[in-house]
Amino acid sequence: MKSAPHVEPSNGRAYWRGLDELAGTPEFRQFVEREFPEGASEWADPVSRRQFVRLMSASFLLAGLGVAGSGCRRPVERIEPFGQMPENYVHGVPEMYATAMPTRTGAIPVVARSNDGRPTKVEGNALFPGSNGGTDRYAQASVLDLYDPDRARHFKQGQFVTTPAAAMDFLAGLARQSAARSGQGLCFLSEASTSPSRRRLQEVVSAKYPNARWFSYDPLGLEVHRRAASQAFGQSVTPLWEFDKADVVLALDCDFLGSEDDVHNHIRRFAEKRQIETPAGSLNRLYTVEGVMSLTGFNADHRLRVPSSAVVEVAKALLAEIQKGSPSTVNSGTPQLPAEVDPRWITECAKDLAANRGRSLVVAGQRQPLAVHLLAHAMNAALGNLGKTVSFIPAPQSGEGTLEQLAGALNGGQVETLVILHANPVYNAPADLDWAKVQRKAHTVVRLGYYEDETSEFCDWHLPATHYLESWGDAQTTDGTWVPIQPLIAPLFGGWTELEVLARLAAAPVTAPYEIVRETFAGLKGIQDVEAAWRKFLHDGFLAGSASKAIEVKLDANVVGQALNGPSAGAPSRDSLEVVFQRDYSVDDGRYNNNGWLQEMPDPVTKLTWDNAVLLSHKTARRLGVSNLDVVEVKLGGRSVRGPVWVQPGQADYTVALALGYGKPKPGRVGYQTGFDVYPLRTSQAPSIASGATLTKTAATYPLSCTQHHWSMEGRPIVREVNLDQYREHPEFAKEEMEQEEHLPVESPLYPNPFNELKKHGIHQWGMAIDLNRCVGCSACMMACQSENNVPIVGKDQVARSREMHWLRIDRYYSGPPNQSGSFTYKADEDQQYEPWLANPQVVTQPMLCQHCEAAPCENVCPVNATSHDAEGLNVMTYNRCVGTRYCSNNCPYKVRRFNFFDYNKRPLNHLYLGPLAKRPPEEIELAKMVKNPQVTVRMRGVMEKCTYCLQRIEQAKIAQKVKARDSGDVVVPEGTFTTACAQACPAGAIVFGNLKDPNSRVSKLKSLDRNYPVLQTLLTKPRTTYLAKVRNPNPAMPDYDKAGPFTFQNYEKKMGNPFIEHPVEGRKGAE
Amino acid sequence: MAAGASTMPASHGAPVDVPQPPKELERIPLVANQRSFGWISNRIASLCEDRAPIWWWVLFVPSVLMLGMLMFMISYQVSTGVGVWGNMRPVMWAWDIVNFVWWIGIGHAGTLISAILFLLRQRWRTGVNRAAEAMTIFAVMCAGIYPALHVGRAWYDWWLFPIPNSNSIWPQFRSPLMWDVFAVSTYFTVSVLFWYMGLIPDLAVMRDRAKTRARQFLYGLFALGWTGSNRHWSNYEKAYLILAGLSTPLVLSVHSIVSLDFSVSQLPGWHTTIFPPYFVAGAVFSGFGMVLSLLIPLRSMFKLQDLITMRHIDVMCKVTLATGSIVGYSYLMEFLIAWYSGNPNERFHFINRALGPYQWAWFFMIGCNALVPQVFWFKKVRQNLLLIFIVSILVNVGMWFERFVIIVISLYRDFLPSSWSYYHPTWVDICTYIGTFGLFFTCFLLFIRFLPMIAISEVKGVTPQSDPHHPLGGAKVLEVEHD
């Protein structure tokens, strides 16, 4: 569209618009010719225009890709305010509710924290009589189960999802039908429970349907303690061990510090007696007889290694020895001691027990047969311990049948309807019952279950169960105290409680669990003002004074004598191995199989994660020609299982230890492909100890993820320990003699602290003391830390690459006699399994976390100031600033820093290597988010993290104190207002945290003790976390007593020389 | 052209009698066969002007493919996480830092040859300095990839630079990683400048010889208007001398500072004062190893035997022997210090190096670095190109293992045995490392194709003709008449 040439007519006066026109310049001509001025032309060239559009769209596409890839964008965060503010809600302030976690034989009174309506952390109820606020690892990890994406979410009829209403109709129909037949053909299978409401409802059901039958099943058989006591004393009682009153303890294959129930109470009581503050103080002494290394074996002063089946013989011999001289009351028969047992061990141990009449305690373990329990009772009776170190409280008589009886009833066609409450027999019933087949013989099977698991597959109805943090209930602790279970959140997926199901089945007028529990409570004797008492009950989390009164018991010697008449098992041999089924430290009997925290928690003994293994002794493995990771087939009575070998120091020869709870046929996504199932080997005749097994090696190997590869301390003074008599002679052994100063004339710290001056003015100086004498290695602190600090799990593969994230770990070292354990130092870690010193080692455990060095090596080397010191002595970590050079970890001598190699929170753990291509399902992420503590940053990939001494708790306490102080200026946080998550969870009270500025604080006092020492003192890092050296209390009369001190000390001596002889304190003091 | 030492070339007209020096004083010429200026220019410039030989393509294509692999590995690592490498706790640094230090070490020979030898008036440097400098620059580029990418959040690398920001957050100047940033970036900058400075007269030669517009334009652009006037030469020589002076301390500082990454820590095996000199010696050692590995094949493939003579190679072998022996001595010293210090952790560490599970790496290191170069004591070996080539490769392998020994073996067993763990690399580690060779060889092959790989003007300067006092040198009247 070009304009026509502009031509002025030539006649008339010539007008010009500008000098340019007058001059007729080419510029003007061009201007006239153009439609638009220069630079504003229309882009008429079609090719170029297309090119332009193409380029623009390409650049938009690229920009879009950039945004979609979101490499350069922070995630969008929305703040959504409340439309209506809930009552009493203060934003950001967590609420605490007293509740209880039910166990099979009791309950753990806990205080659960709710952040904005989400339960995020469980802590022990310190108000509970006798409690120190400690819990066990299961309780700490239980909160994760609440948000398990694999929990049963639907009411199901067969394979089809149905509605709660339909299930209600079904139960109502079942109730009508049962009423018509007065319960004929109605059977219940439940797990053991101490709930008074359930007991009451059971009575209601039984009253309504008199022909209904009750059965109960626990694969571990924890009720053996009650059964044995009831038999021994002729009345239904359950024993209550009081380790805090016992000076000498004999554990007969009893892992009371690890895998028994109520372990947090045992640890607390035991640790009371393990405290020694001055050389004049005293310690208890622990004798252990066991075949498989356990936490109790770790802490034993004398450990007798015999096959688990021979424990009964040792017990017999001990009883005979104890009764010697006194008119014999129990005929203990003729013990057939294993050849390797030194008879002096028996006599001296018995002497020691007898010397402490009324102050000793003999306990028998859950997996031992009844006879051993009866022998333990007989010994306690002979030692005058009854009512002193072990008391007996009345136990409700249970009329429930066993699983075997139920199988009989099913086979007999007597079961019309089977109601299974929680139990998972298809997975964990004894193999000889062939449960999956037997269960089908019932016409209708109704299941209330937390997971849609193996048993649900064979059920006609599946009802989802609630978590204890989302349901009303009640329970009784082991001492009989009533505790409430109150919900912190409405059932996430609308499940039902046991109480609800029973009430509906009984067609009770009240079916709401709250009403049921309150009704049970109101029915208690001696309650006047029910409402006030109920409120106090819920507030305190227990009913004061409701503990059962101990009753006096008298041993029925005949019963014990009769029980001992059974044939004794022959010694296990190469061709007839003994199999011991263990309760797993992580997954229990399989119920925590889908709990990532527990799966990744290193087994306190083996340090294996995510798997169980075929545990063998060093000698057994050598004789059978197998070594770690070899897959072997264990055959027992025509059945077999396959699993990888792991050489376990301290295990009895020719025994095979197998942990229960792994290899579920129908696992969740966390428990998928973890370990192997050993239930197929278990029979109802030999549910925990079986003999006659054989083991054959297969060609395969299987990787195991172990968090600690090296088993020895290499004679380094990391855990410092001596015997009690050495301690009395050299009380300052840990401080002076073993500090290596004379080997290393280091004068000042390599990395001086820039805050040294400021610290003098700070009103708080935080510090921690860990008493190695009290720590038993139970790992509750690890779980507490994981829960409090949003520590991610990383999966088996990452653990195998040593990338686990635990801020707090428990180091476990084995030690043997120095003449045997010197040669392997420079070998590969895997070769340690071939070392003979492993047969019967001594063990030490040491919680290891950020030491908060005052002269911190990590701070100096960070190029971006991401880790630095604060004026209160904390080594703080700024996640936002961290770029992830990892130099701090390299320079950390304690190796407590953890690096996020991947986005562990954002990616599914089995697809970490796919990076951004791996997306975690949104619903899974939403659930996973809910368990996070909002006061702690969730770390992304590429940043370093570590223990902060629970900085969020410190700050919260400081703020609270400032609010309280107002103008008074009293802003010092008083002792005891708060503590770190690990210290709070520790049932032993081994971890003490507090203000070092306050000379009267517990931590200051502990740090002033003789035994206080910093690890790696010679580096002069001046850690704020210090340890109290360990003092063992072996009996000098015992055959395995070594005057030279514990093995770790002897190894130290071999490397560094005897500190007591070569470096006397006086001499060096003079030189200084 | 093969005239004897006693006569002028025929083109110079009447022969001039040159008195023969005694045999023992006879110098081996730096340019063999009395090549003329014209021949030197033709020979070197034609490498960039002729068609690329087939072997060049044979090397270039795989190099580019390897470079592509490097790009993939980098994007994989950055998008997915450092976890794709084998690094773990306690070995938080592994192949990443091993390769960083290894490449940085290789990047030492170039500047050493061009700066220190320049200041020391070692005229033989002219034959090899250009290629060695180019090697330095490319090696530092390869090295630079690692510290930038080994961090967890590479997109925040800029936090390591002291850039003023609204939060007034500065890097931590106490950290040796911070010093690394300065040391390496300074070294790279000065090396590039120095290299480019030296290139200017030769770029002008290329410009003047260029036959296409593009070549004229590009070489002309970078030749910065060089005319070869006296004033240009005078400024050039001064600037070159200043840059040589600046580079000389850098040669010593870079690897000293890299070694401080380790010395400043308190890890047994890292925390030692011997590191700075030991690292510099090791770097020169590996740098010369790499120069030999590159130039021995290039020399024959490009037929440069007259410019890179056996004398050059002999001298470089001697430097390799000397630095290798220093390195070997340092290995011994470390053991002595560990024993003499009485520090039990230190003692454990060194015994564990030699006898622990990583024993094989230690033996590789000792064998390749301390023992193998000792063959250079023998003149026969220094004259055998194949043997020299093999030794130079072994030197580089050995130096890689030295870094592996120092970094991984020190880390994997430190103070608390509970944390001990064995390190395994992953395929990404290996492919990334191979990928850096792709980058290196792509750059190097492009360099030898497009830039004169021997300093034309400088080589001319060491020929007899350029010495006015030499019987063959000076601007002869005769020459003017004849040419």
Side-chain angles (χ1 to χ4, degrees), chain B residues 393-411:
Chain B
I393 296 287
L394 285 178
V395 162
N396 280 308
V397 172
M399 283 311 286
W400 191 90
F401 273 103
E402 179 194 298
R403 278 63 181 250
F404 183 85
V405 164
I406 290 172
I407 293 168
V408 174
I409 300 191
S410 301
L411 282 169

Side-chain angles (χ1 to χ4, degrees), chain B residues 163-182:
Chain B
I163 298 167
N165 58 68
S166 55
N167 291 331
S168 306
I169 303 173
W170 290 94
Q172 221 240 95
F173 294 100
R174 291 187 299 166
S175 169
L177 289 188
M178 189 68 249
W179 314 337
D180 250 8
V181 171
F182 295 127

Side-chain angles (χ1 to χ4, degrees), chain A residues 18 43 147 154 254 327 399 410 434 504 557 590 597 634 636 705 722 854 859 998 1005-1006:
Chain A
W43 199 352
Y147 305 107
H154 305 292
C254 176
L410 282 161
D434 202 2
R504 287 189 194 286
W597 292 349
V634 183
L636 177 65
S705 290
V722 288
E854 287 183 7
E859 289 166 16
D998 173 7
K1005 285 188 172 151
L1006 285 178

Side-chain angles (χ1 to χ4, degrees), chain B residues 271-285:
Chain B
H271 181 60
T272 159
T273 46
I274 199 178
F275 266 10
Y278 157 28
F279 265 53
V280 172
V284 174
F285 179 57

Side-chain angles (χ1 to χ4, degrees), chain A residues 228-542:
Chain A
S230 306
Q231 255 187 46
F233 303 108
Q235 51 185 320
S236 182
V237 286
T238 188
L240 212 57
W241 299 325
E242 292 171 56
F243 294 101
D244 50 342
K245 293 180 184 159
D247 286 331
V248 179
V249 177
L250 169 65
L252 297 168
D253 197 15
C254 176
D255 188 13
F256 65 92
L257 297 175
S259 58
E260 289 289 334
D261 242 16
D262 211 28
V263 60
H264 67 292
N265 269 328
H266 301 327
I267 295 175
R268 170 174 60 80
R269 289 166 180 263
F270 181 75
E272 285 302 311
K273 280 280 177 183
R274 216 60 202 176
Q275 179 175 342
I276 185 163
E277 304 212 335
T278 59
S282 64
L283 282 175
N284 67 0
R285 183 173 291 144
L286 173 60
Y287 295 92
T288 311
V289 183
E290 62 182 14
V292 181
M293 197 54 141
S294 70
L295 277 179
T296 309
F298 274 18
N299 291 284
D301 294 303
H302 293 283
R303 181 172 180 275
L304 183 62
R305 184 173 67 111
V306 292
S308 300
S309 59
V311 170
V312 63
E313 304 301 328
V314 175
K316 279 183 198 168
L318 277 164
L319 178 64
E321 202 62 41
I322 287 168
Q323 288 178 343
K324 221 178 242 174
S326 66
S328 182
T329 48
V330 176
N331 177 15
S332 56
T334 43
Q336 293 165 327
L337 277 183
E340 67 266 27
V341 177
D342 185 341
R344 269 170 59 222
W345 203 98
I346 308 287
T347 52
E348 292 301 331
C349 175
K351 236 183 244 172
D352 199 15
L353 286 165
N356 288 281
R357 267 188 75 84
R359 285 179 293 114
S360 53
L361 175 58
V362 183
V363 293
Q366 140 266 123
R367 65 168 161 254
Q368 283 294 326
L370 203 62
V372 176
H373 290 258
L374 294 174
L375 282 164
H377 289 308
M379 279 189 251
N380 281 328
L383 291 166
N385 296 333
L386 301 183
K388 286 182 178 139
T389 54
V390 54
S391 54
F392 295 89
I393 56 168
Q397 195 82 43
S398 94
E400 289 161 356
T402 63
L403 192 70
E404 289 78 14
Q405 290 166 345
L406 176 58
L410 282 161
N411 285 326
Q414 301 155 17
V415 183
E416 179 70 19
T417 308
L418 176 63
V419 180
I420 302 175
L421 301 171
H422 288 301
N424 186 8
V426 173
Y427 172 56
N428 60 23
D432 54 337
L433 296 184
D434 202 2
W435 188 264
K437 215 180 261 171
V438 170
Q439 185 175 307
R440 283 188 197 157
K441 297 192 173 157
H443 184 262
T444 317
V445 183
V446 187
R447 169 97 194 290
L448 174 76
Y450 197 70
Y451 294 102
E452 285 182 29
D453 51 21
E454 299 77 10
T455 303
S456 319
E457 294 237 310
F458 299 93
C459 291
D460 302 289
W461 281 84
H462 180 88
L463 319 173
T466 53
H467 191 266
Y468 77 92
L469 288 170
E470 51 178 25
S471 58
W472 282 99
D474 50 14
Q476 280 179 290
T477 58
T478 36
D479 67 353
T481 307
W482 281 50
V483 288
I485 297 170
Q486 58 173 327
L488 277 78
I489 190 169
L492 283 173
F493 303 109
W496 286 351
T497 68
E498 246 180 340
L499 303 179
E500 226 168 332
V501 173
L502 285 176
R504 287 189 194 286
L505 260 174
V510 176
T511 53
Y514 172 77
E515 299 295 340
I516 296 170
V517 173
R518 200 169 178 285
E519 211 176 297
T520 318
F521 182 80
L524 256 179
K525 266 183 251 161
I527 289 186
Q528 267 90 45
D529 182 354
V530 173
E531 182 58 28
W534 171 251
R535 282 185 175 278
K536 188 167 163 48
F537 180 54
L538 294 186
H539 174 270
D540 294 351
F542 60 92

Side-chain angles (χ1 to χ4, degrees), chain A residues 468-708:
Chain A
Y468 77 92
L469 288 170
E470 51 178 25
S471 58
W472 282 99
D474 50 14
Q476 280 179 290
T477 58
T478 36
D479 67 353
T481 307
W482 281 50
V483 288
I485 297 170
Q486 58 173 327
L488 277 78
I489 190 169
L492 283 173
F493 303 109
W496 286 351
T497 68
E498 246 180 340
L499 303 179
E500 226 168 332
V501 173
L502 285 176
R504 287 189 194 286
L505 260 174
V510 176
T511 53
Y514 172 77
E515 299 295 340
I516 296 170
V517 173
R518 200 169 178 285
E519 211 176 297
T520 318
F521 182 80
L524 256 179
K525 266 183 251 161
I527 289 186
Q528 267 90 45
D529 182 354
V530 173
E531 182 58 28
W534 171 251
R535 282 185 175 278
K536 188 167 163 48
F537 180 54
L538 294 186
H539 174 270
D540 294 351
F542 60 92
L543 182 63
S546 59
S548 310
K549 300 278 173 296
I551 50 174
E552 273 208 32
V553 291
K554 203 175 166 305
L555 186 76
D556 187 345
N558 288 339
V559 174
V560 180
Q562 277 161 22
L564 300 180
N565 288 339
S568 64
S573 66
R574 214 190 117 130
D575 307 310
S576 169
L577 300 164
E578 179 178 306
V579 176
V580 180
F581 299 98
Q582 279 188 295
R583 179 189 197 172
D584 190 72
Y585 286 110
S586 302
V587 303
D588 200 331
D589 58 356
R591 65 189 57 215
Y592 299 116
N593 189 283
N594 209 42
N595 186 314
W597 292 349
L598 283 168
Q599 281 276 13
E600 192 152 302
M601 183 194 80
D603 183 293
V605 174
T606 60
K607 294 286 161 196
L608 291 177
T609 58
W610 293 94
D611 278 303
N612 55 348
V614 177
L615 303 184
L616 299 176
S617 78
H618 160 75
K619 184 177 158 191
T620 319
R622 294 291 77 73
R623 290 284 158 84
L624 294 170
V626 292
S627 49
N628 282 357
L629 314 188
D630 284 344
V631 174
V632 293
E633 188 168 26
V634 183
K635 276 203 196 102
L636 177 65
R639 299 178 179 85
S640 72
V641 294
R642 278 168 180 236
V645 163
W646 191 256
V647 172
Q648 175 55 47
Q651 187 161 322
D653 294 331
Y654 301 124
T655 64
V656 178
L658 301 171
L660 301 169
Y662 287 91
K664 287 188 81 169
K666 210 181 162 211
R669 58 194 94 172
V670 175
Y672 180 66
Q673 286 185 342
T674 54
F676 60 98
D677 187 4
V678 301
Y679 281 110
L681 278 192
R682 268 174 92 245
T683 58
S684 36
Q685 284 78 42
S688 40
I689 302 168
S691 53
T694 56
L695 188 145
T696 44
K697 187 178 169 178
T698 68
T701 59
Y702 178 87
L704 289 170
S705 290
C706 178
T707 58
Q708 189 177 337

